[in-house]
Amino acid sequence: MNQSFFIKTYGCQMNDYDSDKMEELLTFNGFNKVTNFEKSDVAILNTCHIRKKASDKLYSDLGRLSIFKENKNKLGKQMQIIVTGCVAQAEGEEIIKRNKSVDYVIGPQNFHIIPDLVRKKNSSKVYTDFLCEEKFESLPVSNVKNISRLVTIQEGCDKFCTFCVVPYTRGAEYSRPVEDIFAEVLQYSKFGTSEITLLGQNVSSYSSRIYEDSKKKEVPLSGLLKILSRISGLKRIRYLTSHPSDITDELISEHKKNKLVMPFLHLPIQSGSNEILKLMNRKHTKEEYLRIIKKIKKEVPKMAFSSDFIVGYPGESDTNFEETLDLIEKVGFASSYSFKYSPRPGTPASTKKNFIDESTSNMRLKKIQELLNKQQRYFNDSFIGKTMDVLISGKGKKENQYVGRTPYLQPVHIMSSKSLTGKILKIKIESLTSFSFHGKILN
């Protein structure tokens, strides 16, 4: 009888992609996917280490899962628990020490070994080598039908922002070969994928090479976008997450010329204070960030932006925080993510002593979120009564309801008795509830 598995995913879209690939890998190797841990022989927790809350959630889940495993053992049933992802990479041996029920701890560049490990039951428990190339080469060809797909094109980061664990958990920057990415997207398109989102911890630094006229040619992100847009059936291309220092004129030009590349850019700045940006080792100033935004808006007037912000970074003064609010006012974001600073073990910022007290951080987070939410509402309100192209991804919760997204990733609900999945339709936006649009079909 084939073994069953269940995967729980924490954190970012990169983890979503990895979990999808683990699922395809295990299914390809004869394992059966089930709907919860209770039904599984192999329980996999794909973890995130960006914020402490996600790490704490892992240990809480492991506590409950270990009790369940013990009870299954008493009934003569076996269960293996695997922790993978960034917490696994950062805290390998510590996880085993804290919870003896964990069978294997596997870093994000090693999950391709899971099928063999589970079957052979090796004595070694921790696998945290950086094996990017091997991992991607081991992935099976996918035949899953999805309108939108995530595609990892780049992993790791060489920027070393002082608050970030990615260089330590995902390793140095690695860009997948153009040919491999093209083959993966081509396969998806054959099974009905209309939209892809290219992923990377620092996706705008993507750089690979192809042979053209017997010569090696560098292919940056702009070149990859151009190549992928030739694939028949592909209607939309997105990418994230970008670093301001890597936004080139060629990339901006590709946004201007290539209709498949969506006019929506996630461009984190983290702080609007040069003093804090320097402490964060962000390698750019707020003035440089604003110049990039201005340049993009000039070339692509319809471009909208989202960003990430950290409040309460060690040493952040009231003036530093006000500078961040000022930058937000100047840019005007369509949406953004904001968080209180959370120290991650092993990062330079975690050794600082001038931490901001909890009440001040809470107050700043509330204030910044109020401003960002106000900007998001203003941006969304500007589309009421207008017509937008909406890619329908599937059915909604109500009968005859379909859900799609605009070029700016806003969800749209429409009603239809006909099947609409996979189509791009002209939708007149009639109303907005919370952050979802409702509209009617015009074509």
Side-chain angles (χ1 to χ4, degrees), residues 194-210:
S194 302
E195 177 183 65
I196 56 168
T197 300
L198 307 179
L199 300 178
Q201 267 89 26
N202 193 17
V203 72
S204 49
S205 71
Y206 176 86
S207 181
S208 188
R209 292 180 177 183
I210 59 172

Side-chain angles (χ1 to χ4, degrees), residues 48-60:
C48 175
H49 205 260
I50 294 298
R51 287 175 293 281
K52 188 174 186 298
K53 187 176 180 181
S55 181
D56 291 343
K57 185 75 169 68
L58 163 69
Y59 288 110
S60 175

Side-chain angles (χ1 to χ4, degrees), residues 227-239:
I227 290 169
L228 294 179
S229 65
R230 299 170 188 160
I231 294 176
S232 176
L234 205 58
K235 299 172 183 175
R236 289 182 172 181
I237 304 176
R238 305 179 187 276
Y239 61 90

